[in-house]
């Protein structure tokens, strides 16, 4: 909803393609939430931007901490 001028997102297949072909770090943005974060990270992104799922909530700090914890667990796992 924060990017109304964009067309359909590329999704996980595009993230996997980028991860396979890019030799530089890249960030994923668009539709990322705690439910799909693991899949996005597993596809190979280096970082994420999750606007609606964090600052679009009543508990911004809690949402950011939840993302941080999940990302750290993925990196350690």
């Amino acid at each position: 909803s924060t990017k109304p001028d964009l067309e359909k997102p590329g999704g996980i297949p595009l993230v996997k393609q980028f991860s396979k072909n890019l030799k530089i770090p890249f960030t994923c943005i668009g539709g990322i939430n705690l439910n799909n974060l693991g899949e996005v990270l597993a596809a190979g992104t280096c970082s994420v931007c999750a606007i609606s799922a964090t600052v679009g909530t009543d508990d911004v700090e809690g949402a950011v901490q939840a993302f941080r914890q999940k990302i750290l667990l993925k990196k350690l796992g």
Side-chain angles (χ1 to χ4, degrees), residues 48-72:
V48 297
C49 182
I51 299 167
S52 296
T54 54
V55 298
T57 67
D58 291 334
D59 181 12
V60 174
E61 183 177 0
V64 171
Q65 288 299 330
F67 266 87
R68 186 174 187 274
Q69 181 178 10
K70 197 162 188 174
I71 290 168
L72 288 174

Side-chain angles (χ1 to χ4, degrees), residues 1-10 29-31 51:
S1 64
T2 60
K3 292 168 271 329
D5 57 325
L6 295 181
E7 294 184 25
K8 182 180 174 189
I29 183 172
I51 299 167

